[in-house]
Amino acid sequence: MSKQLIPDTLMLEERALHAINAIVGIADHDHDGIPFFAADLMQEPACMTHGDWDYGSSHGRMIDALVLARHMTGSTEGKETEEKYRANLMSFFKEDGLSYRQVSPAHDWEPNANLIDQRAVILSLTSWYMESGDVKVKEAADRHVAALKRIAIKERDIWFYPASEYKEGGWPSSNGILLRLAPDPASFCGRLVMPLLKYHEVTGNKDAFELCQFFTALIIERSGVFNEDGSFNTALAYRSGHFHTRIGTLDAIARFGAFTGNAAMIAWVKKSYDWALTVGTTFGWTPGDMHEQAYEHETCSLVDLISTGITLAQSGYVEYWGTVERFLRNHLTESQLLDLDWVQQSEDSSNDIHGDISYYKVADRTRGAFAGYSAPNDFVCDVIEGRGHTNDLQICCLGSGTRGLFMGWSNTVTEHKGTVSVNFLLNRGSKWLDVHSYLPHEGKLVLNINADIPRLLVRIPEWAGFTKIKYTRERGGAVTAGHGKEPSRWVNRCFLLLDEAYEGETITITFPLSIRTTVETAVDQSFVTEWRGDDVVSITPQGKTKPLYTSRVVFEQAPMKEGSLRRPERDFIW
């Protein structure tokens, strides 16, 4: 595609390119390509460490993230490392069809099939199969799903797992099964529904659908994970209301409700989602849990919010398009590590410990990763409350952050029965149209139409109103104008109806920007937040170690650059 002048504003595919650098860079080539799990960037020099998540969980997330990022970008960077990740993942399976953690040279833990790991495994196998059509991948996934069904404890209306780890000989305690001592159903059953459902959609696998059905019933009807008012159960047995696993479960159940046409299930999710929004910030920071980790936001939780919000918006709750766009523009992209001048790195590996820790070029290798634990105003969480400073990066957040970029990118422009909708006001190329966004500098959107469109909708932010919205349409030298006060121009509350659009047409939409201040609360701490449209341009007090929202520069006119928007050859819907 030939290059042209385009707005130099947020492009999610560019962010995905940075993420690929980190996904490839964290591989430990002195330890069979096993990726490091965590990084401490405040240590001098910075270091990366291995852990018990290195196996099915980390490999699964990295394979999934690479499939999505490559679809967004077309990049082939690090293919050898990707092939090693895929080979490693396949080697973790035992004859029973489950993925097992391996013996570590530097840590003492037993090989086991951790149930959280299994979620990342089927996630990656699903993306891998969707991308490649490889029958061997499908065979492995079918065996894996069959194993997940086989080991589930089955009662009349629910299924569950009675422990967090399964061993080759079976569940550790038959008495635990009799007493129904299932640990945290959201962590080990609820979140599994999302990839299992997608695998069923792609392949028709009946075992996957059954697992979704009975796990969803467990969560809603019997588990007690969510309280009647939608809030999270904060009991210790439920991981103190751990946000990533709670919201990940909401994402899964929202998808299942949408797939099965269960409006009551969607409404149930909405109730808890709305509660979760009240304990975070409007720009996307959430607590880690409701007790010890309350001050530590995981990028994983934010991506769960993004995905759940998209499903709710697609189900008719259109107000969540705006909610999700604020998350994408703000805490997701601010959580990506691009500036590393503040990180001290070692240029040699002489102090590395095999299978345990590396100090070698940590800053270079992690550029593009996402915050493992961040404060609302700082990439580093180093507060006196909670657990204090722990890790700055976690591989799970790198995988999730990349998936978050993909979810925003793939849902910016959607099509359904001849209606094309522009849902997020972000730069995006597609076979139907290219979106050029001038936000946050100008309230301006330029649409270049690539194919005839029977019906075109464009979401206008709620803060823009409707009386001052204007648009022009240029086609074959003829120019027509319109405005938001025209009758019958608004559908689904916030979508501007532009009727038919034609190949070669250019549509320019303008609207006033909202300049406002909000006071955001995060675990009893207040932050004064300055907004320009849906973008946070400053936050007070500023962070101390790696402040967030301090480098955003706004101009009267959007800066331009030479470039092009990627138009994938085929759809890849997750």
Side-chain angles (χ1 to χ4, degrees):
M1 188 183 302
S2 61
K3 292 189 176 182
Q4 56 184 312
L5 283 180
I6 61 175
D8 189 7
T9 55
L10 178 62
M11 291 181 63
L12 297 181
E13 57 262 51
E14 289 182 348
R15 295 305 192 101
L17 274 173
H18 290 299
I20 291 173
N21 176 78
I23 295 169
V24 172
I26 59 172
D28 185 350
H29 297 294
D30 294 326
H31 184 39
D32 202 31
I34 303 290
F36 289 97
F37 175 72
D40 183 345
L41 302 178
M42 290 184 68
Q43 185 166 315
E44 297 182 355
C47 65
M48 295 187 292
T49 53
H50 283 293
D52 57 348
W53 299 101
D54 285 355
Y55 303 101
S57 178
S58 292
H59 282 78
R61 286 177 178 273
M62 293 302 92
I63 292 167
D64 172 67
L66 280 169
V67 170
L68 302 183
R70 294 197 193 287
H71 183 73
M72 292 175 69
T73 65
S75 170
T76 59
E77 177 190 348
K79 290 294 289 186
E80 286 187 10
T81 298
E82 182 178 15
E83 291 306 314
K84 187 61 180 177
Y85 286 162
R86 295 186 182 205
N88 281 343
L89 181 75
M90 289 301 194
S91 74
F92 301 152
F93 285 107
K94 291 189 180 292
E95 289 298 318
D96 63 7
L98 297 172
S99 178
Y100 280 77
R101 295 183 175 185
Q102 306 298 297
V103 174
S104 168
H107 297 276
D108 182 23
W109 60 69
E110 297 178 278
N112 65 80
N114 181 281
L115 270 301
I116 293 180
D117 293 0
Q118 310 310 307
R119 186 258 186 192
V121 169
I122 189 60
L123 181 79
S124 64
L125 293 176
T126 302
S127 288
W128 186 353
Y129 179 67
M130 289 170 64
E131 172 248 348
S132 68
D134 189 332
V135 294
K136 291 184 179 180
V137 176
K138 184 178 183 297
E139 289 172 359
D142 284 340
R143 288 195 302 271
H144 187 237
V145 173
L148 291 171
K149 178 180 175 180
R150 186 182 67 251
I151 68 171
I153 306 305
K154 303 169 183 70
E155 298 190 355
R156 182 182 63 85
D157 56 347
I158 62 164
W159 294 358
F160 66 95
Y161 297 128
S164 59
E165 291 93 17
Y166 183 87
K167 300 184 70 173
E168 281 190 271
W171 292 113
S173 169
S174 59
N175 188 49
I177 297 171
L178 293 172
L179 296 176
R180 298 184 179 89
L181 297 179
D184 190 11
S187 295
F188 307 126
C189 302
R191 291 177 63 249
L192 261 168
V193 170
M194 188 274 269
L196 285 169
L197 177 62
K198 190 63 181 182
Y199 189 67
H200 169 72
E201 290 181 46
V202 172
T203 67
N205 185 290
K206 294 180 180 179
D207 288 343
F209 182 83
E210 268 197 299
L211 284 160
C212 293
Q213 180 175 274
F214 286 105
F215 285 164
T216 298
L218 166 71
I219 297 297
I220 294 178
E221 305 295 340
R222 302 286 292 277
S223 72
V225 171
F226 298 92
N227 298 319
E228 285 295 319
D229 64 355
S231 61
F232 302 169
N233 189 327
T234 64
L236 186 61
Y238 295 99
R239 300 187 67 191
S240 301
H242 183 245
F243 260 66
H244 174 28
T245 48
R246 307 312 94 164
I247 303 170
T249 295
L250 293 179
D251 172 32
I253 295 177
R255 288 169 179 260
F256 190 67
F259 181 78
T260 57
N262 190 325
M265 196 173 288
I266 296 292
W268 182 90
V269 170
K270 181 183 185 299
K271 179 171 62 175
S272 279
Y273 188 81
D274 287 343
W275 177 85
L277 294 179
T278 68
V279 293
T281 69
T282 57
F283 54 79
W285 184 92
T286 66
D289 66 16
M290 299 306 292
H291 291 291
E292 292 79 15
Q293 298 183 55
Y295 298 88
E296 304 164 9
H297 165 84
E298 294 181 68
T299 299
C300 293
S301 299
L302 174 53
V303 174
D304 295 332
L305 278 179
I306 288 169
S307 186
T308 310
I310 288 171
T311 302
L312 290 173
Q314 291 170 337
S315 300
Y317 297 107
V318 295
E319 62 270 27
Y320 296 119
W321 289 121
T323 300
V324 171
E325 177 152 348
R326 287 192 296 274
F327 295 163
L328 293 167
R329 287 182 170 275
N330 296 298
H331 219 64
L332 180 65
T333 49
E334 281 292 297
S335 294
Q336 190 173 24
L337 183 64
L338 301 180
D339 170 22
L340 291 117
D341 290 345
W342 58 285
V343 178
Q344 183 188 110
Q345 71 172 6
S346 173
E347 297 298 321
D348 68 73
S349 57
S350 57
N351 292 319
D352 290 5
I353 300 173
H354 177 68
D356 186 16
I357 189 168
S358 175
Y359 301 91
Y360 178 62
K361 291 191 175 181
V362 169
D364 293 345
R365 295 166 68 184
T366 59
R367 179 181 51 78
F370 289 82
Y373 294 123
S374 69
N377 62 348
D378 205 314
F379 190 94
V380 172
C381 182
D382 189 19
V383 297
I384 59 174
E385 303 90 347
R387 302 188 302 173
H389 178 257
T390 54
N391 290 315
D392 302 306
L393 300 177
Q394 297 181 105
I395 201 173
C396 54
C397 292
L398 171 54
S400 287
T402 307
R403 174 166 274 273
L405 296 175
F406 175 82
M407 292 302 296
W409 180 84
S410 62
N411 285 281
T412 293
V413 179
T414 57
E415 187 274 339
H416 181 66
K417 296 182 178 180
T419 295
V420 173
S421 297
V422 178
N423 305 309
F424 301 130
L425 308 191
L426 298 166
N427 292 308
R428 174 71 159 92
S430 75
K431 62 185 178 183
W432 303 290
L433 54 80
D434 292 345
V435 182
H436 299 277
S437 175
Y438 289 67
L439 295 162
H441 309 281
E442 304 173 61
K444 180 178 175 181
L445 205 65
V446 176
L447 311 178
N448 293 331
I449 309 303
N450 299 324
D452 290 351
I453 298 172
R455 186 169 182 258
L456 176 61
L457 300 176
V458 180
R459 185 184 65 84
I460 303 298
E462 293 87 336
W463 42 258
F466 68 95
T467 62
K468 296 184 182 299
I469 292 167
K470 299 177 182 179
Y471 60 91
T472 60
R473 307 183 67 151
E474 182 177 353
R475 180 182 175 213
V479 179
T480 59
H483 54 77
K485 290 188 286 187
E486 294 176 17
S488 305
R489 273 291 162 224
W490 295 94
V491 297
N492 298 337
R493 290 173 48 190
C494 57
F495 281 84
L496 180 67
L497 174 62
L498 294 171
D499 299 317
E500 300 92 352
Y502 300 95
E503 182 179 357
E505 184 177 8
T506 298
I507 302 174
T508 301
I509 304 170
T510 60
F511 45 84
L513 283 171
S514 168
I515 312 299
R516 63 194 186 278
T517 300
T518 62
V519 177
E520 306 284 338
T521 301
V523 195
D524 299 324
Q525 298 178 350
S526 295
F527 299 88
V528 178
T529 307
E530 304 290 336
W531 296 81
R532 187 176 176 90
D534 279 324
D535 286 74
V536 173
V537 293
S538 73
I539 188 169
T540 307
Q542 290 187 359
K544 297 179 180 179
T545 304
K546 178 61 177 75
L548 302 178
Y549 304 103
T550 58
S551 59
R552 296 188 166 195
V553 180
V554 178
F555 302 98
E556 289 187 9
Q557 291 187 319
M560 306 296 285
K561 65 180 180 180
E562 193 177 71
S564 59
L565 301 176
R566 176 170 165 77
R567 300 176 194 163
E569 295 180 0
R570 66 186 181 99
D571 293 333
F572 196 86
I573 307 299
W574 243 106

